[in-house]
Amino acid sequence: MRYYTPRSCEEAIAILASGPHDVLAGGTDYYPALRDRPATRDVIDISRIDELRTIRREGDGWRLGAATTWSDVARANPPPLFYGLQAAAREVGALQVQNAGTIAGNICNASPAADGVPPLLTLDAEVEIASCEGRRTVPLSAFITGVRRTVLRPGELVTAILVPHRDAASAFLKLGARRYLVISIAMVAVLLETDGSGRVARARIAVGACSPVARRIEALEGELAGQPMDGEILASVVELRHLSVLSPIDDVRADRAYRLEAATELLRRALRAALATAGELAA
């Protein structure tokens, strides 16, 4: 096998077009998946492409480069819109994993327990994809199609995550068997926009690790809209029935019933946490 370290997107895309390759960013999922087997496919390491490691305001939104690490996200100084994503960044493995693991690697690995996916779903994130044929964008909600499956075609490279700017407050919570270095039993992300009169203009709610792909909970989002921006009132709206769209499994970490109960309580707590940052929007 051959190991490529391109220094530009154009160079990486040209190599990709020459045949099948594995794209490597931080390698925090790639190498453990090999176990004791040697790598047999050619590898393209995009971690040295500077243009892919950025967090910046761009027009009416934000651009998060594909090779942006979770430590980059955690240490950034963004508006409250990104607080939920930052909280997720601090939960991705240990500090060493956060220093190497990337935001695009997290979504391309397409694990049901990918910490970055629920907060990115609440951000209405889109995935920018490049190839020799040009660039296209796909909503994150359509990008991941199943366990370890995405819409990426041969020769395509994820170059950025695009997020529209909004004055909103967000939060993320995760439950595992221990505090750190754990695969989630359940995780939730919430984002709230105010209408300026003390009520919720729009809510976005997502749950991960409780279905093959993290899901937005649209029924709950609809019921939260118009409610007073009060943590206890919003928490009281959340009921187990809202999570009927999920399909959690029974495994060694938890059974289906426990995951649903846990996700319900996590949502209540996350709504209260988001309200704490919502005060910054009004300040």
Side-chain angles (χ1 to χ4, degrees), residues 220 224 234-240 242 263-265 267-268 271:
L220 177 57
L224 289 170
L234 296 184
S236 70
V237 174
V238 182
E239 296 180 7
L240 187 62
H242 291 121
T264 302
E265 179 57 29
L267 284 172
R268 294 175 181 136
L271 286 166

Side-chain angles (χ1 to χ4, degrees), residues 190 192 205 224 234-235 238 266-275:
V190 307
L192 299 171
I205 308 294
L224 289 170
L234 296 184
V238 182
L266 286 174
L267 284 172
R268 294 175 181 136
R269 297 183 186 186
L271 286 166
R272 296 186 187 105
L275 262 293

Side-chain angles (χ1 to χ4, degrees), residues 80 83 169-171 192 229 231 269-281:
Y83 286 2
S170 61
L192 299 171
M229 293 282 282
R269 297 183 186 186
L271 286 166
R272 296 186 187 105
L275 262 293
T277 64
E280 297 183 28
L281 301 177

Side-chain angles (χ1 to χ4, degrees), residues 113 115 172 174-177 182-187 208-209 251 253 259:
D115 293 323
F172 170 88
K174 168 180 173 176
L175 175 67
V182 65
I183 298 175
S184 298
I185 292 172
M187 67 179 100
D251 65 9
R253 289 184 292 277
R259 288 179 192 273

Side-chain angles (χ1 to χ4, degrees), residues 93-104:
L95 186 59
Q96 296 93 327
V97 174
Q98 295 167 22
N99 287 341
T102 63
I103 191 167

